[in-house]
Amino acid sequence: MAPRHEAPRLPGLVQTRGGAQEKPIELPAVAAAAVAAGAAAAPADDAQAHGGGGRAAGAGATRADDVRRTGLLGSMASVALSEAEKVYIVHGVQEDLRVDGRGCEDYRCVEVETDVVSNTSGSARVKLGHTDILVGVKAEMGTPKLEKPNEGYLEFFVDCSANATPEFEGRGGDDLGTEIANTLYRIFNNKSSVDLKSLCISPREHCWILYVDVLLLECGGNLFDTISIAVKAALFNTRIPRVRVLEDEEGSKDIELSDDPYDCIRLSVENVPCIVTLCKIGYRHVVDATLQEEACSLASLLVSVTSKGVVTCMRKVGKGSLDPESIFEMMEGCGCISRAA
């Protein structure tokens, strides 16, 4: 299902302006070769994709070419790095030491604030590093879908404002917003995430539609993870008025909403998954990557996982490729993170 195109339902918000960022520069062949030498023990994930074949020299050249392509993963914000900074970051990750002192599988502290927008059914604001996300949920009554007559449903809208980063001007923000919305649809396209039957008022006639609006206030890396946490927090905060369906002698139905703000329905978000983004840098992967680390990554694996360790969705982003051995290794790290959470 395509995301909605109307304006977001979060009026009157003050959007903070992110710092202007330049396009990433290319890494010369000399520095790229040095990085490739540091990752010599790694499997040549991209050798086959670029025609490297089984030759060692071809695989080395492939990796050098890949390191030079320090562009974006998708259409996210980029950051300009010097040649020395890129080599420093890549070599540090191979030693399980990142620029900010974290290990490869360490997250930064997440700031979560709920009930931040008064004219919504539920809302949340999440800050992770320099990424700032605001999510509002609005419950409105509608008609169930024909293929699911006894369920309500969710609609997603993502606003990638140019105030978050100048790179979202024009079609850049629209394309990324559509990509994020489609990812959220895939995550919630199962019966275990949210009990959609609890949103049904009367089969084939009335149901609750939850409009989930995501607003990017600032984009500073690890965007998908932060959005998934904000969406889960906003759904946890959502209060849906309790409804009584009254039927008269003639068979006509009348719907009565409760006036008591405490007489409401709360959604269970126990099985709502969160996204863990695993960025492949050299022959290792990191979680909760910064913009600088994303600029050094060739490919990332987005894994939607519940608190019980159940994987509900998985996709790859970025221009690079991942071999099966790398994917299994990254999935093992993802499972450890979900169990720790």
Side-chain angles (χ1 to χ4, degrees):
M1 178 181 295
R4 297 181 295 120
H5 296 289
E6 59 265 27
R9 299 166 180 259
L10 301 176
L13 298 179
V14 179
Q15 300 179 4
T16 58
R17 175 173 292 276
Q21 298 163 340
E22 301 174 357
K23 294 287 185 180
I25 60 175
E26 290 189 351
L27 188 62
V30 176
V35 177
D45 293 345
D46 296 288
Q48 183 176 359
H50 297 280
R55 297 176 299 172
T62 299
R63 185 163 298 280
D65 292 339
D66 289 335
V67 173
R68 281 200 295 269
R69 285 195 303 272
T70 55
L72 310 180
L73 295 179
S75 305
M76 305 179 193
S78 63
V79 63
L81 296 178
S82 67
E83 303 167 9
E85 286 176 316
K86 293 174 182 177
V87 175
Y88 181 77
I89 291 173
V90 174
H91 280 213
V93 168
Q94 313 316 309
E95 301 297 330
D96 196 23
L97 181 62
R98 299 160 74 173
V99 175
D100 54 10
R102 291 181 292 153
C104 289
E105 295 184 353
D106 293 338
Y107 265 84
R108 293 167 289 183
C109 292
V110 182
E111 299 179 23
V112 181
E113 184 180 3
T114 59
D115 205 13
V116 293
V117 183
S118 59
N119 61 342
T120 60
S121 303
S123 59
R125 184 173 182 176
V126 174
K127 296 180 181 179
L128 180 59
H130 294 289
T131 298
D132 193 355
I133 304 297
L134 180 63
V135 176
V137 180
K138 191 73 172 179
E140 294 186 1
M141 201 171 298
T143 305
K145 299 179 180 179
L146 293 176
E147 63 274 16
K148 297 179 180 179
N150 61 341
E151 295 181 2
Y153 56 95
L154 283 69
E155 293 278 5
F156 295 97
F157 177 86
V158 181
D159 182 12
C160 299
S161 172
N163 287 339
T165 172
E167 295 180 12
F168 289 162
E169 293 181 0
R171 293 291 301 173
D174 294 341
D175 294 341
L176 178 59
T178 301
E179 180 182 355
I180 295 173
N182 289 337
T183 302
L184 293 174
Y185 278 119
R186 290 181 61 184
I187 291 176
F188 287 90
N189 188 26
N190 60 77
K191 298 180 179 180
S192 60
S193 295
V194 177
D195 183 12
L196 298 179
K197 291 185 178 180
S198 65
L199 301 177
C200 181
I201 300 172
S202 57
R204 296 183 178 85
E205 295 181 356
H206 301 94
C207 72
W208 287 109
I209 305 173
L210 300 183
Y211 293 102
V212 183
D213 295 306
V214 180
L215 178 60
L216 274 62
L217 298 175
E218 189 173 357
C219 184
N222 200 17
L223 193 58
F224 283 90
D225 295 27
T226 312
I227 290 175
S228 68
I229 296 172
V231 169
K232 184 170 184 175
L235 291 174
F236 173 79
N237 182 246
T238 298
R239 296 173 175 86
I240 304 173
R242 195 171 296 277
V243 177
R244 290 198 313 165
V245 180
L246 305 177
E247 186 173 355
D248 57 18
E249 298 178 355
E250 299 178 355
S252 60
K253 296 180 181 180
D254 189 17
I255 295 177
E256 181 181 286
L257 297 179
S258 175
D259 295 332
D260 186 358
Y262 295 98
D263 186 19
C264 59
I265 300 173
R266 302 294 295 269
L267 294 174
S268 174
V269 297
E270 180 181 1
N271 295 322
V272 173
C274 288
I275 296 176
V276 178
T277 302
L278 302 145
C279 289
K280 187 72 180 294
I281 300 178
Y283 59 89
R284 301 197 65 165
H285 64 270
V286 300
V287 299
D288 188 17
T290 63
L291 275 180
Q292 291 79 9
E293 291 170 337
E294 288 179 354
C296 299
S297 177
L298 306 176
S300 293
L301 189 67
L302 270 61
V303 182
S304 170
V305 58
T306 67
S307 59
K308 298 178 181 179
V310 178
V311 176
T312 62
C313 179
M314 182 172 59
R315 59 171 296 206
K316 185 196 77 75
V317 296
K319 297 181 179 179
S321 61
L322 297 171
D323 63 11
E325 183 178 353
S326 297
I327 294 176
F328 290 140
E329 178 186 353
M330 297 164 84
M331 292 292 292
E332 289 179 1
C334 179
C336 295
I337 295 168
S338 65
R339 287 191 293 270

PDB file of all heavy atoms in Angstrom, residues 304-324:
ATOM      1  N   SER A 304      14.320  -6.295  11.382  1.00  0.00           N
ATOM      2  CA  SER A 304      13.199  -6.004  12.267  1.00  0.00           C
ATOM      3  C   SER A 304      13.057  -7.168  13.238  1.00  0.00           C
ATOM      4  O   SER A 304      12.763  -8.292  12.839  1.00  0.00           O
ATOM      5  CB  SER A 304      11.913  -5.822  11.454  1.00  0.00           C
ATOM      6  OG  SER A 304      10.786  -5.770  12.291  1.00  0.00           O
ATOM      7  N   VAL A 305      13.268  -6.907  14.532  1.00  0.00           N
ATOM      8  CA  VAL A 305      13.331  -7.982  15.515  1.00  0.00           C
ATOM      9  C   VAL A 305      12.541  -7.591  16.759  1.00  0.00           C
ATOM     10  O   VAL A 305      12.541  -6.434  17.173  1.00  0.00           O
ATOM     11  CB  VAL A 305      14.808  -8.298  15.872  1.00  0.00           C
ATOM     12  CG1 VAL A 305      15.516  -7.079  16.419  1.00  0.00           C
ATOM     13  CG2 VAL A 305      14.916  -9.462  16.849  1.00  0.00           C
ATOM     14  N   THR A 306      11.834  -8.551  17.338  1.00  0.00           N
ATOM     15  CA  THR A 306      11.060  -8.313  18.552  1.00  0.00           C
ATOM     16  C   THR A 306      11.948  -8.485  19.776  1.00  0.00           C
ATOM     17  O   THR A 306      13.099  -8.924  19.690  1.00  0.00           O
ATOM     18  CB  THR A 306       9.864  -9.278  18.645  1.00  0.00           C
ATOM     19  OG1 THR A 306      10.353 -10.609  18.838  1.00  0.00           O
ATOM     20  CG2 THR A 306       9.030  -9.222  17.374  1.00  0.00           C
ATOM     21  N   SER A 307      11.390  -8.150  20.957  1.00  0.00           N
ATOM     22  CA  SER A 307      12.147  -8.287  22.202  1.00  0.00           C
ATOM     23  C   SER A 307      12.448  -9.750  22.529  1.00  0.00           C
ATOM     24  O   SER A 307      13.352 -10.032  23.313  1.00  0.00           O
ATOM     25  CB  SER A 307      11.376  -7.646  23.358  1.00  0.00           C
ATOM     26  OG  SER A 307      10.101  -8.260  23.512  1.00  0.00           O
ATOM     27  N   LYS A 308      11.705 -10.669  21.915  1.00  0.00           N
ATOM     28  CA  LYS A 308      11.939 -12.100  22.125  1.00  0.00           C
ATOM     29  C   LYS A 308      12.923 -12.682  21.118  1.00  0.00           C
ATOM     30  O   LYS A 308      13.166 -13.885  21.112  1.00  0.00           O
ATOM     31  CB  LYS A 308      10.617 -12.862  22.056  1.00  0.00           C
ATOM     32  CG  LYS A 308       9.617 -12.439  23.130  1.00  0.00           C
ATOM     33  CD  LYS A 308       8.308 -13.200  22.990  1.00  0.00           C
ATOM     34  CE  LYS A 308       7.314 -12.752  24.043  1.00  0.00           C
ATOM     35  NZ  LYS A 308       6.001 -13.458  23.915  1.00  0.00           N
ATOM     36  N   GLY A 309      13.458 -11.842  20.244  1.00  0.00           N
ATOM     37  CA  GLY A 309      14.437 -12.305  19.273  1.00  0.00           C
ATOM     38  C   GLY A 309      13.855 -12.851  17.993  1.00  0.00           C
ATOM     39  O   GLY A 309      14.574 -13.463  17.206  1.00  0.00           O
ATOM     40  N   VAL A 310      12.565 -12.605  17.745  1.00  0.00           N
ATOM     41  CA  VAL A 310      11.928 -13.087  16.521  1.00  0.00           C
ATOM     42  C   VAL A 310      12.145 -12.069  15.406  1.00  0.00           C
ATOM     43  O   VAL A 310      11.799 -10.887  15.550  1.00  0.00           O
ATOM     44  CB  VAL A 310      10.416 -13.319  16.739  1.00  0.00           C
ATOM     45  CG1 VAL A 310       9.757 -13.776  15.442  1.00  0.00           C
ATOM     46  CG2 VAL A 310      10.192 -14.341  17.843  1.00  0.00           C
ATOM     47  N   VAL A 311      12.715 -12.516  14.301  1.00  0.00           N
ATOM     48  CA  VAL A 311      12.958 -11.643  13.153  1.00  0.00           C
ATOM     49  C   VAL A 311      11.709 -11.626  12.281  1.00  0.00           C
ATOM     50  O   VAL A 311      11.244 -12.665  11.821  1.00  0.00           O
ATOM     51  CB  VAL A 311      14.173 -12.117  12.342  1.00  0.00           C
ATOM     52  CG1 VAL A 311      14.353 -11.264  11.093  1.00  0.00           C
ATOM     53  CG2 VAL A 311      15.432 -12.067  13.196  1.00  0.00           C
ATOM     54  N   THR A 312      11.152 -10.447  12.063  1.00  0.00           N
ATOM     55  CA  THR A 312       9.927 -10.318  11.275  1.00  0.00           C
ATOM     56  C   THR A 312      10.172  -9.770   9.880  1.00  0.00           C
ATOM     57  O   THR A 312       9.321  -9.924   9.002  1.00  0.00           O
ATOM     58  CB  THR A 312       8.925  -9.408  11.995  1.00  0.00           C
ATOM     59  OG1 THR A 312       9.483  -8.089  12.134  1.00  0.00           O
ATOM     60  CG2 THR A 312       8.595  -9.943  13.383  1.00  0.00           C
ATOM     61  N   CYS A 313      11.301  -9.104   9.659  1.00  0.00           N
ATOM     62  CA  CYS A 313      11.562  -8.507   8.345  1.00  0.00           C
ATOM     63  C   CYS A 313      13.055  -8.259   8.238  1.00  0.00           C
ATOM     64  O   CYS A 313      13.735  -8.011   9.242  1.00  0.00           O
ATOM     65  CB  CYS A 313      10.771  -7.198   8.194  1.00  0.00           C
ATOM     66  SG  CYS A 313      11.034  -6.333   6.632  1.00  0.00           S
ATOM     67  N   MET A 314      13.568  -8.318   7.011  1.00  0.00           N
ATOM     68  CA  MET A 314      14.988  -8.075   6.783  1.00  0.00           C
ATOM     69  C   MET A 314      15.174  -7.541   5.370  1.00  0.00           C
ATOM     70  O   MET A 314      14.556  -8.028   4.428  1.00  0.00           O
ATOM     71  CB  MET A 314      15.794  -9.362   6.984  1.00  0.00           C
ATOM     72  CG  MET A 314      17.289  -9.208   6.823  1.00  0.00           C
ATOM     73  SD  MET A 314      18.186 -10.711   7.312  1.00  0.00           S
ATOM     74  CE  MET A 314      17.452 -11.912   6.190  1.00  0.00           C
ATOM     75  N   ARG A 315      16.028  -6.532   5.224  1.00  0.00           N
ATOM     76  CA  ARG A 315      16.339  -5.993   3.899  1.00  0.00           C
ATOM     77  C   ARG A 315      17.726  -5.388   3.900  1.00  0.00           C
ATOM     78  O   ARG A 315      18.258  -5.027   4.950  1.00  0.00           O
ATOM     79  CB  ARG A 315      15.318  -4.937   3.468  1.00  0.00           C
ATOM     80  CG  ARG A 315      15.203  -3.760   4.398  1.00  0.00           C
ATOM     81  CD  ARG A 315      14.346  -2.659   3.822  1.00  0.00           C
ATOM     82  NE  ARG A 315      14.923  -2.096   2.623  1.00  0.00           N
ATOM     83  CZ  ARG A 315      14.694  -0.858   2.209  1.00  0.00           C
ATOM     84  NH1 ARG A 315      13.887  -0.076   2.904  1.00  0.00           N
ATOM     85  NH2 ARG A 315      15.250  -0.399   1.122  1.00  0.00           N
ATOM     86  N   LYS A 316      18.311  -5.320   2.725  1.00  0.00           N
ATOM     87  CA  LYS A 316      19.636  -4.739   2.558  1.00  0.00           C
ATOM     88  C   LYS A 316      19.518  -3.377   1.895  1.00  0.00           C
ATOM     89  O   LYS A 316      18.716  -3.181   0.984  1.00  0.00           O
ATOM     90  CB  LYS A 316      20.524  -5.642   1.692  1.00  0.00           C
ATOM     91  CG  LYS A 316      21.961  -5.152   1.571  1.00  0.00           C
ATOM     92  CD  LYS A 316      22.690  -5.826   0.437  1.00  0.00           C
ATOM     93  CE  LYS A 316      22.294  -5.256  -0.906  1.00  0.00           C
ATOM     94  NZ  LYS A 316      22.889  -3.917  -1.163  1.00  0.00           N
ATOM     95  N   VAL A 317      20.324  -2.432   2.357  1.00  0.00           N
ATOM     96  CA  VAL A 317      20.398  -1.120   1.734  1.00  0.00           C
ATOM     97  C   VAL A 317      21.859  -0.826   1.432  1.00  0.00           C
ATOM     98  O   VAL A 317      22.763  -1.377   2.061  1.00  0.00           O
ATOM     99  CB  VAL A 317      19.800  -0.015   2.634  1.00  0.00           C
ATOM    100  CG1 VAL A 317      18.321  -0.237   2.861  1.00  0.00           C
ATOM    101  CG2 VAL A 317      20.532   0.060   3.964  1.00  0.00           C
ATOM    102  N   GLY A 318      22.071   0.055   0.478  1.00  0.00           N
ATOM    103  CA  GLY A 318      23.423   0.398   0.083  1.00  0.00           C
ATOM    104  C   GLY A 318      23.807  -0.256  -1.231  1.00  0.00           C
ATOM    105  O   GLY A 318      23.157  -1.183  -1.709  1.00  0.00           O
ATOM    106  N   LYS A 319      24.896   0.230  -1.819  1.00  0.00           N
ATOM    107  CA  LYS A 319      25.333  -0.241  -3.136  1.00  0.00           C
ATOM    108  C   LYS A 319      26.190  -1.499  -3.066  1.00  0.00           C
ATOM    109  O   LYS A 319      26.347  -2.184  -4.062  1.00  0.00           O
ATOM    110  CB  LYS A 319      26.120   0.865  -3.844  1.00  0.00           C
ATOM    111  CG  LYS A 319      25.294   2.111  -4.139  1.00  0.00           C
ATOM    112  CD  LYS A 319      26.124   3.151  -4.869  1.00  0.00           C
ATOM    113  CE  LYS A 319      25.300   4.391  -5.197  1.00  0.00           C
ATOM    114  NZ  LYS A 319      26.085   5.431  -5.892  1.00  0.00           N
ATOM    115  N   GLY A 320      26.764  -1.781  -1.916  1.00  0.00           N
ATOM    116  CA  GLY A 320      27.610  -2.948  -1.789  1.00  0.00           C
ATOM    117  C   GLY A 320      26.803  -4.222  -1.656  1.00  0.00           C
ATOM    118  O   GLY A 320      25.573  -4.212  -1.622  1.00  0.00           O
ATOM    119  N   SER A 321      27.505  -5.343  -1.578  1.00  0.00           N
ATOM    120  CA  SER A 321      26.854  -6.643  -1.442  1.00  0.00           C
ATOM    121  C   SER A 321      27.323  -7.314  -0.159  1.00  0.00           C
ATOM    122  O   SER A 321      28.350  -6.947   0.421  1.00  0.00           O
ATOM    123  CB  SER A 321      27.159  -7.538  -2.647  1.00  0.00           C
ATOM    124  OG  SER A 321      28.555  -7.771  -2.740  1.00  0.00           O
ATOM    125  N   LEU A 322      26.565  -8.302   0.298  1.00  0.00           N
ATOM    126  CA  LEU A 322      26.884  -9.051   1.509  1.00  0.00           C
ATOM    127  C   LEU A 322      26.848 -10.535   1.186  1.00  0.00           C
ATOM    128  O   LEU A 322      25.874 -11.020   0.604  1.00  0.00           O
ATOM    129  CB  LEU A 322      25.874  -8.732   2.622  1.00  0.00           C
ATOM    130  CG  LEU A 322      25.819  -7.282   3.132  1.00  0.00           C
ATOM    131  CD1 LEU A 322      24.631  -7.094   4.054  1.00  0.00           C
ATOM    132  CD2 LEU A 322      27.108  -6.906   3.828  1.00  0.00           C
ATOM    133  N   ASP A 323      27.906 -11.258   1.555  1.00  0.00           N
ATOM    134  CA  ASP A 323      27.890 -12.697   1.323  1.00  0.00           C
ATOM    135  C   ASP A 323      27.145 -13.387   2.458  1.00  0.00           C
ATOM    136  O   ASP A 323      26.927 -12.801   3.528  1.00  0.00           O
ATOM    137  CB  ASP A 323      29.307 -13.250   1.151  1.00  0.00           C
ATOM    138  CG  ASP A 323      30.158 -13.078   2.401  1.00  0.00           C
ATOM    139  OD1 ASP A 323      29.598 -12.722   3.458  1.00  0.00           O
ATOM    140  OD2 ASP A 323      31.375 -13.305   2.315  1.00  0.00           O
ATOM    141  N   PRO A 324      26.688 -14.623   2.272  1.00  0.00           N
ATOM    142  CA  PRO A 324      25.900 -15.313   3.315  1.00  0.00           C
ATOM    143  C   PRO A 324      26.611 -15.400   4.649  1.00  0.00           C
ATOM    144  O   PRO A 324      25.986 -15.283   5.702  1.00  0.00           O
ATOM    145  CB  PRO A 324      25.663 -16.699   2.704  1.00  0.00           C
ATOM    146  CG  PRO A 324      25.738 -16.479   1.225  1.00  0.00           C
ATOM    147  CD  PRO A 324      26.771 -15.413   1.033  1.00  0.00           C
TER     148      PRO A 324
END
